Amino acid sequence: MRIIVDAMGGDYAPGEIIKGCINAASTYQGNLKITLVGRKNAIAEELEKQGVSDEIFDIVHAEDVIAVDEPPVMAIRRKKDSSMVKGLELLREDRSSVFVSAGSTGALMAGGLLKVGRIKGIDRPALAPLIPTRKLPVLLIDAGANADCKPINLVQFAIMGSVYMEKVVGRTNPRVGLVNIGQEENKGNELTKEVYSLLKEQDNINFAGNVEARDIPEGVVDILVCDGFVGNTILKLTEGLALTLFGILKEEFTKSFVAKIGALLLKPGLINIKNMMDYDEVGGAPLLGINGGIIKAHGSSKARAIENAIKQAKLFIENKVLENITANL
Amino acid sequence: MRIIVDAMGGDYAPGEIIKGCINAASTYQGNLKITLVGRKNAIAEELEKQGVSDEIFDIVHAEDVIAVDEPPVMAIRRKKDSSMVKGLELLREDRSSVFVSAGSTGALMAGGLLKVGRIKGIDRPALAPLIPTRKLPVLLIDAGANADCKPINLVQFAIMGSVYMEKVVGRTNPRVGLVNIGQEENKGNELTKEVYSLLKEQDNINFAGNVEARDIPEGVVDILVCDGFVGNTILKLTEGLALTLFGILKEEFTKSFVAKIGALLLKPGLINIKNMMDYDEVGGAPLLGINGGIIKAHGSSKARAIENAIKQAKLFIENKVLENITANL
């Protein structure tokens, strides 16, 4: 089993990316082969720093790096010798492997489409991260790959999300909720009203009706379906609100000596809450709909997040996600 | 100055509504006249319970009540003798007054349009609540009155929101942010891209560019402009996440004896945070664009929220919001 890793993508590349790969290689031993794509010298230097032989990895040199603020399509077309483009080309050559990158989401989406192509029957691929809730994490699809969607896109998101949750995350008969501004069937905008009536007819998913944003943090379904604009807003607002509330808590809890003692006594509880909101535990988000496995790791991924993204990639292969999506269309 | 209050709308009507009116009447003494609309007997009973003479209010009898789950337009058309319809008719007769209701948002919007009408030059009225942030509260417009919007609607929301923030909330030269899924001008869906280019040309507002959902809780602008689907999602997710996080905090903080002591020491800080997220302080949301002042109080409003909504209504009149919106179109 082969995992291709973009060694140069993300805020902490290549150091933390390579550390994550070393940890994954040690955890899974001979069960997987990791291909590192990126600047050979930088990779070699990092491996030496970590005291690891370069023989445990395949290393494929790529001179360039695509930055997060580059226009995606242009970056993919022009930077032919970038770690992302080369990684995607390796994926195209061997569709039984999976590509992991913490680089630009837009470039990964554009590159996936241009270099690897779509699954037959899928019009638009979608980004599907797991977001933390009070109960179990929930798959949010689409989280930002498609700012404008047609009803059929959301139906395909629901099918792909269901396969992924069942096969990779291990959620049996996962419930699909449609993000909407009311619970009743007739509520919503033109898009969601039409999607509701289509999802209702779909017999290959477990449709649970509309979910209002207020109920999202309680984890009332397994999969949240929405267009990429709404999904991206949900993803970023959840992240932002958690950060802001922790910031305020920290401020209040260090205001006085008494408060500091109180916070010390509450430390185990506070750590529990922080862990619950921790994206590193989740790993990465699959780009579902590309005819090849792509796991997008968070831009701020450190070693543990990369290790988890590789674990996800492994499950993606083992559970034949691509074949299962095709079979369910 | 006259404030018309729907005595029967909201989860705690008529008790808490009337209590809020009594408090407002005592705070503002002779400066405002409150008209209570609703079942005469229920109102009289409540006033007696509070030991207050019914002479401090005008009381207008309405036999019916519109429930929150009734289809809005049908409810307004059929329940001609409801407190909401009668209140809106009083507003139409005297456009220098303001109508306050904690009843159904949808019915209030439909009733506002059907009974009172729009401001000339405004295509769609919008619901504009203040949402709590780490800094000052931010006006969110539209928070759910219009599930589908055209670019021109959002431009009008920006203008109305700016007038309201400046005149009623007292924010000088308020900054308008467009809710979007990227910071750069070319990011977004078809709607926001077009709105961006229109807002940039607008010289009667202080346009600050795109705001990503991640930055909303930090209070980076004064006004957030978006379509009603996105706005409603932001409003409800903010509310839901705050509730869920407080729920988890509470759980963790009562898990052990040590944790309970810690929570006790942190009580002042925790109360500060809770107050920050408290919607009662904010009062209600204006329905901007209706040719008459309408303040929608939260459905779960208690006396303090109603008193604050009445204060908002008073500022609405004193600062000639309707005239100022018209002047800025």
Side-chain angles (χ1 to χ4, degrees):
Chain A
M1 181 180 314
R2 187 194 194 194
I3 317 279
I4 306 153
V5 178
D6 177 356
M8 314 306 286
D11 304 343
Y12 302 105
E16 291 288 326
I17 311 294
I18 292 172
K19 258 191 234 170
C21 291
I22 293 170
N23 297 343
S26 121
T27 304
Y28 302 112
Q29 299 286 348
N31 284 322
L32 58 85
K33 191 79 199 161
I34 295 175
T35 302
L36 289 174
V37 189
R39 286 195 190 119
K40 241 179 176 153
N41 289 348
I43 295 172
E45 206 174 283
E46 197 57 43
L47 288 172
E48 209 188 305
K49 213 191 281 172
Q50 301 291 325
V52 173
S53 150
D54 60 3
E55 283 172 18
I56 66 166
F57 299 119
D58 287 331
I59 296 169
V60 173
H61 179 69
E63 189 57 40
D64 257 345
V65 178
I66 292 179
V68 279
D69 53 355
E70 290 184 65
V73 175
M74 208 190 291
I76 293 294
R77 292 219 165 111
R78 288 198 185 161
K79 290 194 167 169
K80 290 189 178 20
D81 195 24
S82 62
S83 57
M84 193 181 280
V85 170
K86 283 217 160 168
L88 288 167
E89 282 169 352
L90 290 173
L91 177 64
R92 183 178 55 198
E93 286 160 22
D94 174 9
R95 287 181 205 265
S96 71
S97 64
V98 167
F99 180 52
V100 173
S101 175
S104 152
T105 307
L108 200 53
M109 174 77 177
L113 282 168
L114 292 168
K115 299 285 169 187
V116 189
R118 287 168 294 146
I119 292 175
K120 216 182 138 184
I122 296 294
D123 296 289
R124 301 283 313 169
L127 189 68
L130 285 163
I131 59 168
T133 76
R134 189 165 189 172
K135 291 173 196 150
L136 295 166
V138 170
L139 195 80
L140 180 71
I141 182 168
D142 173 27
N146 309 281
D148 291 288
C149 287
K150 297 197 181 80
I152 187 67
N153 300 139
L154 274 74
V155 174
Q156 294 171 357
F157 299 166
I159 296 168
M160 296 194 292
S162 296
V163 168
Y164 188 82
M165 278 307 264
E166 181 127 20
K167 299 296 174 185
V168 173
V169 184
R171 209 74 63 85
T172 315
N173 198 21
R175 289 156 305 157
V176 173
L178 175 63
V179 177
N180 211 336
I181 57 171
Q183 296 205 309
E184 302 83 0
E185 178 167 354
N186 61 338
K187 287 287 170 75
N189 57 13
E190 283 169 27
L191 176 70
T192 58
K193 280 186 219 169
E194 206 170 318
V195 172
Y196 191 104
S197 64
L198 292 173
L199 289 179
K200 219 175 49 172
E201 302 300 322
Q202 210 66 28
D203 53 15
N204 50 354
I205 60 161
N206 181 8
F207 183 47
N210 290 326
V211 172
E212 287 192 87
R214 185 186 290 122
D215 299 321
I216 291 175
E218 290 291 320
V220 293
V221 292
D222 299 298
I223 297 147
L224 289 166
V225 170
C226 54
D227 70 59
F229 191 98
V230 169
N232 196 261
T233 302
I234 291 170
L235 182 72
K236 287 181 178 160
L237 188 57
T238 302
E239 214 179 323
L241 263 171
L243 277 174
T244 295
L245 280 172
F246 283 127
I248 297 170
L249 279 175
K250 206 173 169 184
E251 222 169 71
E252 291 292 342
F253 290 5
T254 51
K255 253 189 185 165
S256 69
F257 181 67
V258 173
K260 277 182 194 162
I261 300 212
L264 204 64
L265 297 176
L266 284 172
K267 215 172 174 187
L270 292 172
I271 288 174
N272 278 350
I273 298 170
K274 245 200 153 149
N275 284 346
M276 198 201 81
M277 299 301 294
D278 190 354
Y279 283 81
D280 276 6
E281 283 299 337
V282 170
L287 249 175
L288 297 176
I290 299 288
N291 193 14
I294 298 181
I295 305 287
K296 159 78 180 93
H298 201 288
S300 61
S301 289
K302 296 206 172 178
R304 194 159 55 93
I306 295 298
E307 191 186 346
N308 280 322
I310 291 172
K311 184 180 160 197
Q312 248 179 308
K314 190 172 167 283
L315 291 169
F316 195 102
I317 299 169
E318 286 170 354
N319 295 295
K320 303 187 193 328
V321 172
L322 293 185
E323 294 85 332
N324 277 302
I325 287 176
T326 309
N328 271 277
L329 286 173
Chain B
M1 182 180 313
R2 188 192 191 196
I3 317 280
I4 306 154
V5 178
D6 176 356
M8 313 307 285
D11 304 344
Y12 302 105
E16 291 289 325
I17 311 293
I18 292 172
K19 257 191 237 172
C21 291
I22 293 170
N23 296 344
S26 122
T27 304
Y28 302 113
Q29 298 288 348
N31 284 323
L32 57 86
K33 192 78 198 162
I34 295 175
T35 302
L36 289 174
V37 190
R39 286 197 191 116
K40 239 179 178 153
N41 289 347
I43 295 172
E45 208 173 282
E46 198 56 43
L47 288 173
E48 208 187 305
K49 214 191 282 172
Q50 301 291 327
V52 172
S53 151
D54 61 2
E55 284 172 16
I56 65 165
F57 299 118
D58 286 331
I59 296 168
V60 173
H61 179 69
E63 189 57 38
D64 258 344
V65 178
I66 292 179
V68 278
D69 53 355
E70 290 184 63
V73 175
M74 209 191 290
I76 292 294
R77 290 220 165 109
R78 288 198 185 159
K79 290 194 167 169
K80 291 190 178 14
D81 196 23
S82 61
S83 57
M84 193 182 280
V85 170
K86 283 216 158 165
L88 289 166
E89 283 169 353
L90 290 174
L91 177 64
R92 182 179 56 200
E93 285 161 22
D94 175 9
R95 287 180 205 264
S96 72
S97 64
V98 167
F99 180 52
V100 173
S101 175
S104 152
T105 307
L108 201 52
M109 175 77 176
L113 282 168
L114 292 168
K115 299 286 169 186
V116 189
R118 289 168 293 147
I119 292 176
K120 215 183 141 184
I122 296 294
D123 296 289
R124 302 283 313 167
L127 189 67
L130 285 163
I131 59 169
T133 76
R134 190 165 189 172
K135 291 174 196 151
L136 295 167
V138 169
L139 195 80
L140 180 70
I141 181 166
D142 173 28
N146 309 282
D148 291 289
C149 287
K150 298 197 181 82
I152 186 68
N153 300 139
L154 272 75
V155 174
Q156 293 171 357
F157 298 167
I159 296 169
M160 295 194 293
S162 296
V163 169
Y164 188 81
M165 278 308 263
E166 179 126 23
K167 299 297 174 184
V168 172
V169 184
R171 210 75 61 88
T172 314
N173 198 21
R175 288 155 307 158
V176 174
L178 175 63
V179 177
N180 211 338
I181 57 172
Q183 296 205 309
E184 302 82 1
E185 178 166 355
N186 60 340
K187 287 287 170 73
N189 56 13
E190 283 169 27
L191 177 70
T192 57
K193 280 186 221 170
E194 206 169 321
V195 172
Y196 191 104
S197 63
L198 292 173
L199 288 179
K200 220 176 47 173
E201 302 300 320
Q202 210 66 30
D203 53 14
N204 50 355
I205 59 162
N206 180 8
F207 183 47
N210 289 327
V211 173
E212 286 193 89
R214 185 185 290 122
D215 299 321
I216 291 175
E218 290 290 320
V220 293
V221 292
D222 299 298
I223 297 148
L224 290 166
V225 170
C226 54
D227 71 58
F229 192 98
V230 169
N232 196 261
T233 302
I234 291 170
L235 182 72
K236 287 180 179 161
L237 187 57
T238 303
E239 214 179 323
L241 263 172
L243 277 174
T244 295
L245 280 172
F246 283 127
I248 297 170
L249 280 176
K250 205 174 170 184
E251 223 170 69
E252 291 291 342
F253 290 4
T254 51
K255 254 189 183 164
S256 70
F257 181 67
V258 172
K260 276 182 197 165
I261 302 217
L264 203 64
L265 297 177
L266 285 172
K267 216 173 172 186
L270 292 171
I271 289 174
N272 277 351
I273 298 169
K274 245 199 151 151
N275 284 345
M276 199 201 81
M277 298 300 294
D278 189 354
Y279 283 81
D280 277 7
E281 283 298 339
V282 169
L287 250 175
L288 297 176
I290 299 287
N291 193 15
I294 298 181
I295 304 287
K296 160 77 180 95
H298 200 287
S300 61
S301 290
K302 295 204 172 179
R304 195 160 52 94
I306 295 298
E307 192 186 345
N308 279 323
I310 291 172
K311 183 180 160 196
Q312 248 179 306
K314 190 171 167 283
L315 291 169
F316 195 102
I317 299 170
E318 285 171 355
N319 296 295
K320 303 187 193 323
V321 172
L322 294 185
E323 294 85 332
N324 276 303
I325 288 177
T326 309
N328 272 277
L329 286 173

